[in-house]
Structures are given as C-alpha cells and as structure tokens.
Amino acid sequence: MKAAIQAGLAALAAGLILANGAMASDAADAQSVVATEAAFAKRAAEIGNVPAFREFAAPGVIMFLPEPMVATDYLAKADWPGLIEWRPDFVAVSGAADLAVASGPSQWTTKDGVDPGYYLTVWARQPDGGWKFALDRGTPGTPNLYTAPGAAATFHVGVAVGESKATPAGLEAVLADEMSRDAPAAIRKRLTVGSRVVRAGHAPATTAEDIRALLARDPAQVTATTLGGGMSKSSDLAYVWGENRWTEGGKPRRGHYLRVWRRAGQTWSILVDQQVGLPAPKG
C-alpha cells in the first residue's frame, strides 16, 4: 500500500501539461461512464457482488473497508452476500477523458434487510479504451435515495487550456492549514456552482443553503493528512484522499476524506467533498 500511496502522491503533484494546448471531453464521454456503471451493476446481479467488483477493478484499486487499502487481495477472498444496486446521479469527466468520477445512491439487500448508502467511484481510462475503477468509497447511513424516482445524471465535462499553475497537492496543503482553524469555512470557500458535500447519515447537499447547514455539523478544527490521489492528463480533474483527525467530547476521533477538485482556467475548486468518520472508540 505504501508504494500505491507514493505513486498517487506523485501523480497528484505532477501538474501535467496539455500536449496540444486544449482538450475537451463531451457528453459522450460522460455517457460512457454511465454505461460502464450500468454494466457493472448488471454484472453484480448476474455473477455476484465480489466477482463483479473484481472484473471492473483497476490494478492497485483503493477501497475503504473501512480503512483505505489496496483491495486486490481482499477482493480475491471477500464474500458479500445479497445484492448491491446503484446508479449514478453525478458524473465528472476530465478534458482528456482519461479520469472520471461518478456518484449516486445505492442499496445493499440481504436477508437481514436493506442497507442504503451513497457511493463515490473514481474511474480511470484503460489502454483498451474502457473504464475501470481506481477507487471506491461508500457513504453509510444515508436516506434510501435509490428507491426514489431516478433523474438523469448531472454531467460535468472538462475543458482545460494550458498548464496549471497550481496542483491539488499544493492546494490541499493550504486547505489543511485553514482546516486546522476553521474546517467548515475552509471547505465552503472553495466550493463552486455544482459542488456537493457528502456526509454519512445525510443526503448529499447540493444547494448553498443545504451545504452551509451540513458543513455546520462538521468539527470546527480538523487535522487533514493527504495519503493519495491522482490527476488527469489534462490537469483539470483530480481526486485526493486522506485521514481526518479531530476532538469530540474531549476524546480523539478520526475518519477519512475524499475530495474531487476541478479546474476552470487557473482556478481550482472542490467539486465533491466527502468525509466519513470511523466509529467512536468504545470506553
């Protein structure tokens, strides 16, 4: 896992330059991600949850179970009963169409009942032109949005021109410094139109009012440590994941975050901010 983290950080900090000046993805690229998600879900129903995850996982895939890990060996032995169903309601694709993020409602049905959630998956384009997921993260305890009428997914397609003067790695360092003093404000000031905030136990917040209310529930001071991530060749879409630490009721707590950054011109904004705390220690 250490090698994977180092590789992720290297890719995140690279700040790759566009080979031909400008690149632009389009709705067809986003639709190809939706089609891959549908094929993935169909295979889960046909051959079982874990075999389908193995089939669509990229080499070195990161999953949060609940700790982040390179999950290749785990998936070779895992057994998830029942049926996991999901559909994307949000898709972002880089200008180079080599990196994409999809998220949406899910439900896991077993003999014991239904466990709803909200997933966030990072997709990487493969040499054969297909997509495989490089990272997968669920958000537990959300309302069951999967049973609600499904609307068409919201698409964010990338258009990047020229070299980025900043990297998400550098932006994360500045963000972490501000989060140590006022975490909700630090996140909120970096959001833009179309951004969403995802927290366990709540539906994703997509409006300014809902985002402000959900961020107000976050710890005031957070220590954030980046552990990995990646960036598109067009340097206009990136993801970062790491560990959060904070104090609650005088006791130390920890959890993990996954952020998706998007660049427009020379301005990077947080497109998705997902944070999930681990269970409080007993005693």
Side-chain angles (χ1 to χ4, degrees):
M1 181 173 178
K2 182 178 180 181
I5 290 173
Q6 290 173 336
L9 288 173
L12 183 65
L16 298 176
I17 302 174
L18 293 176
N20 297 308
M23 295 182 180
S25 57
D26 57 26
D29 293 310
Q31 287 285 8
S32 72
V33 176
V34 174
T36 302
E37 289 265 355
F40 185 9
K42 181 180 178 182
R43 288 296 282 165
E46 291 173 344
I47 64 176
N49 300 317
V50 174
F53 271 73
R54 286 199 295 262
E55 188 174 304
F56 282 81
V61 62
I62 298 292
M63 298 180 70
F64 292 71
L65 300 163
E67 298 286 350
M69 66 171 68
V70 176
T72 307
D73 290 343
Y74 173 88
L75 288 175
K77 305 171 185 177
D79 179 21
W80 301 337
L83 175 63
I84 303 175
E85 301 170 280
W86 66 93
R87 65 169 181 270
D89 63 10
F90 175 93
V91 177
V93 184
S94 68
D98 62 333
L99 188 70
V101 176
S103 63
S106 66
Q107 65 175 15
W108 186 354
T109 304
T110 67
K111 63 180 182 180
D112 297 323
V114 177
D115 183 15
Y118 192 85
Y119 74 93
L120 185 58
T121 300
V122 176
W123 292 93
R125 184 82 79 171
Q126 301 301 297
D128 64 1
W131 295 97
K132 289 201 170 183
F133 70 92
L135 182 148
D136 184 68
R137 177 79 194 278
T139 311
T142 62
N144 194 339
L145 304 176
Y146 185 82
T147 58
T154 299
F155 291 163
H156 294 263
V157 293
V159 178
V161 179
E163 179 183 2
S164 174
K165 295 180 180 178
T167 66
L171 294 169
E172 281 285 333
V174 176
L175 174 61
D177 179 64
E178 293 185 20
M179 288 182 68
S180 69
R181 297 187 295 276
D182 188 341
I187 295 295
R188 189 169 58 247
K189 68 186 286 188
R190 288 166 171 82
L191 302 178
T192 187
V193 176
S195 296
R196 56 184 48 203
V197 172
V198 184
R199 299 290 186 269
H202 300 275
T206 58
T207 67
E209 182 179 356
D210 288 345
I211 286 172
R212 183 176 292 274
L214 196 52
L215 287 175
R217 296 173 174 267
D218 282 356
Q221 289 85 37
V222 174
T223 299
T225 303
T226 297
L227 297 177
M231 183 159 59
S232 67
K233 291 179 180 179
S234 46
S235 66
D236 60 347
L237 189 69
Y239 67 99
V240 186
W241 58 274
E243 181 183 69
N244 281 341
R245 290 183 178 270
W246 69 97
T247 300
E248 184 176 298
K251 295 183 178 180
R253 294 288 306 277
R254 57 186 288 266
H256 299 99
Y257 66 87
L258 174 58
R259 272 189 282 277
V260 179
W261 291 82
R262 184 188 186 201
R263 180 167 71 95
Q266 288 301 323
T267 301
W268 283 95
S269 301
I270 296 174
L271 191 58
V272 183
D273 184 84
Q274 181 205 46
Q275 299 184 37
V276 178
L278 294 171
K282 294 181 180 180

